[in-house]
Amino acid sequence: MSRNMYTYTKSILERVSFDPILFCKELEKAIKLLLPYEIEQLTEWLLNFTKEKPELRQCLIYVNQ
């Protein structure tokens, strides 16, 4: 179940990446549901994913708390 949650979270974030506000909201929700090691994986993925999308980088604050 948990592995699927991580994959599901990534797919949601990819789908809402056109809207930084929505992206931040979904990321904030995901952080509450994911396990610590999944948050680490997600953080790595986010750093990669947001390289070409600087408008989404502000949302990284949620994973760095």
Side-chain angles (χ1 to χ4, degrees):
M1 165 65 190
S2 200
R3 184 77 192 139
N4 293 340
M5 194 65 209
Y6 170 69
T7 305
Y8 174 74
T9 297
K10 283 195 324 186
S11 71
I12 294 293
L13 291 173
E14 285 170 353
R15 275 185 254 154
V16 299
S17 63
F18 65 90
D19 179 347
I21 294 169
L22 195 52
F23 188 87
C24 286
K25 279 184 184 171
E26 289 299 329
L27 180 57
E28 200 176 6
K29 276 199 273 185
I31 296 302
K32 293 173 184 163
L33 298 172
L34 295 172
L35 298 172
Y37 78 92
E38 292 172 316
I39 293 172
E40 280 179 38
Q41 290 177 323
L42 188 65
T43 303
E44 282 181 40
W45 177 81
L46 282 165
L47 290 172
N48 242 349
F49 185 73
T50 59
K51 260 185 197 144
E52 306 299 316
K53 300 174 178 64
E55 70 280 5
L56 298 178
R57 292 223 91 156
Q58 63 185 340
C59 302
L60 295 178
I61 190 169
Y62 295 112
V63 292
N64 294 326
Q65 291 178 346

